[in-house]
Amino acid sequence: MEETPARLTVKPSWLLTQLAVHAHRLASDGFGEVGARGYHYRILAALDEFGVASQAELGRRCSMDRSDVVAAINELAEQGCVERTPDPDDRRRNMVTLTKAGDRQLRRMDRALDKVQDDLLGPLSAEDRQNLTCLLARLLTHHQRG
């Protein structure tokens, strides 16, 4: 940060933005090593935690645009990670289910993302990592409430 103006380096918003670039690159690389993308992780994690869901529910839970949800589910279905079936109550809506292959892929992605966290937070102690995570979660919750 030698060439960066000092007034920037003391602004949390600037630091978070710069760190987000690195975090995104590390996560993309980590997911790429297991043949996946971040959107895949979001969807598989939601299905694992909450069970069968419509594409619209997945979009809301994962903070994804509808077209991104459809594209990611198409990719996951091609890989055998999810199954898509018509909703018996509304044939216009698809229900998405996690498969055993999807569960295995989610576990691979978990391991890749754990490594990313270690790379990203390398200089921090376990306590510092926990404190940072709590502070970031608090800020995110505050801003999501609007």
Side-chain angles (χ1 to χ4, degrees):
M1 290 201 284
E2 295 172 19
E3 299 295 322
T4 304
R7 64 174 30 128
L8 291 178
T9 64
V10 297
K11 302 295 185 203
S13 58
W14 186 84
L15 293 167
L16 287 168
T17 301
Q18 298 307 302
L19 192 56
V21 171
H22 294 286
H24 186 272
R25 180 184 48 78
L26 290 169
S28 293
D29 291 350
F31 287 145
E33 289 176 11
V34 295
R37 299 183 314 120
Y39 283 160
H40 297 166
Y41 187 76
R42 291 183 193 188
I43 290 171
L44 294 177
L47 290 171
D48 182 58
E49 186 168 337
F50 302 112
V52 178
S54 70
Q55 292 177 176
E57 287 172 315
L58 288 169
R60 286 188 295 275
R61 286 183 177 144
C62 299
S63 299
M64 292 173 60
D65 182 79
R66 183 182 335 182
S67 63
D68 292 328
V69 171
V70 171
I73 289 173
N74 286 342
E75 293 165 358
L76 289 167
E78 287 173 16
Q79 298 168 9
C81 293
V82 299
E83 289 180 349
R84 198 174 16 205
T85 56
D87 183 337
D89 297 327
D90 183 353
R91 292 288 203 197
R92 296 169 295 169
R93 184 168 58 183
N94 285 315
M95 300 304 289
V96 183
T97 306
L98 182 67
T99 64
K100 288 184 182 187
D103 184 63
R104 287 191 301 273
Q105 177 67 338
L106 179 58
R107 303 301 158 226
R108 284 190 289 274
M109 294 176 80
D110 278 333
R111 289 188 296 274
L113 197 53
D114 287 345
K115 184 181 179 308
V116 166
Q117 305 313 299
D118 287 340
D119 291 347
L120 181 66
L121 304 174
L124 302 180
S125 69
E127 183 180 353
D128 286 345
R129 290 176 186 205
Q130 187 175 13
N131 288 336
L132 176 62
T133 301
C134 288
L135 291 170
L136 291 172
R138 188 185 319 163
L139 287 169
L140 183 58
T141 298
H142 169 79
H143 289 288
Q144 284 178 329
R145 289 184 192 154

